[in-house]
Amino acid sequence: MSTYKVLGLMSGTSLDGLDMAYCHFIEENGRWKFSIERIKEVSYTNEMREYLKNAIFLSEEDHAQLHKDYGIWLGEQSKHFIDEENLEVDFISSHGHTSHHRPEDGFTFQLGDGQLLANTSKKQVVCDFRTKDVTLGGQGAPLVPIGDKLLFREYDFCLNLGGISNISFDDTGVRIAYDIGLANMPLNYITQRMGLDYDENGNRARTGTLDHDLLQKLNSLAYYKLPYPKSTGYEWFTGEIVPLIQASKATNIDLLHTFIHHNCEQIANEVKKYAVKTPNKLLTTGGGALNQFFMDTLQEKLGSTATVSTPSKTLIAYKEALVFALMGVLRLKGETNVLRSVTGAREDSSSGEIFYPTTD
Ligand SMILES: Nc1ncnc2c1ncn2[C@@H]1O[C@H](COP(=O)(O)OP(=O)(O)OP(=O)(O)O)[C@@H](O)[C@H]1O
Ligand SMILES: CC(=O)N[C@H]1[C@@H]2OC[C@@H](O2)[C@@H](O)[C@@H]1O[C@H](C)C(=O)O
């Protein structure tokens, strides 16, 4: 029996902040158990959020500088957390923040220089989990399914509702996962126009009415017709969804309402396609699981096909940080942490770069 004490770091596409989860993992006879011992979210300042959001447009030089600055910032935040909570940490496992993701061009980039993170925190670091898979011809995403497989085997479907929605499940013994489509990205875009961070609980969206014309346009988007493996992100949103929002005459409230219907319809379509029994257990995590109108609409669209389980707020918000912590453990053990069945790569891989603090 081995125990691993890992600090997992995650910065998602919603740009809310840095999620830190101090986790313990125990492996016994090939079965993994976990506990999330401590958590901390560090919200981004508006300035940082804008910088990270626009990283895609930076010159090569400015992008390289941001990579370094953000690596140091991650190291400082980790060090504060470790010191204030007096944590015993074997190593840090960091996803970083995705600035570019173009797997079709063989390219993905997560900001947060691993060497500078190691030097600043004075801890060993594992990071850059997506590059190897992309060089193996994979999408480099989604990566969390390895955690669904090893840590959440009691659920038939694991759904994450972050900026976009992704799902993972077992299809005749093979783990399948892909990005279904939209989740909070359009909701945040609309609430920001209203001067709000987000629509607490979906209370505003609940009072809206459906814009059938927009719903039909959204449901006809080409992405939904692509077979898996597939992944998407901010580029798709800005290129195809934002113009539809801008062209729409619907009120913000009706837009929120319509996007939640659309998101849930797409999710339910996918679950129904792959459900082999009823009812299935569906675990929802990510910030969308805190939006009650989203959850109610999802349950309504799923009907008897699946029962929606919303776990503790800690797991909802920190599951990705937890899984990246596990991926670091697997990388250090030389075991598979990226599944080709999910990413479409030529082979499974044990992915991630390892850095040790340098003494100077
Ligand atoms: N109480 C709440 N009510 C409604 N929505 C909420 C609530 N709390 C969080 N959210 C939504 O969840 C979002 C954050 O979700 P999450 O942290 O899972 O995203 P992320 O990890 O950045 O995204 P991704 O997984 O796509 O990278 C917020 O931006 C907001 O839209
Ligand atoms: C390239 C990238 O950062 N993709 C993220 C993003 O956010 C959600 C979805 O798009 C998913 O593909 C992925 O993150 C999760 C953590 C994953 O890899 O499983």
Side-chain angles (χ1 to χ4, degrees), residues 10 13 95 98 101 110 130 141-145 164 166 179 232 320 324:
M10 175 69 197
T13 48
H95 170 267
T98 299
H101 187 61
Q110 282 67 49
R130 301 192 191 272
L143 302 186
V144 166
I164 62 156
N166 52 347
D179 292 343
T232 186
E320 291 181 348
F324 280 97

Side-chain angles (χ1 to χ4, degrees), residues 10-17 19 160-166 184-185 187-188 191 197-202 285-292 316-317 320:
M10 175 69 197
S11 172
T13 48
S14 299
L15 279 162
D16 296 330
D19 295 332
N160 184 64
L161 300 172
I164 62 156
S165 57
N166 52 347
N184 291 306
M185 234 179 240
L187 306 183
N188 287 356
T191 52
D197 279 344
Y198 54 81
D199 176 22
E200 181 72 41
N201 250 333
T285 53
L290 298 168
N291 180 326
Q292 197 52 49
I316 285 178
E320 291 181 348

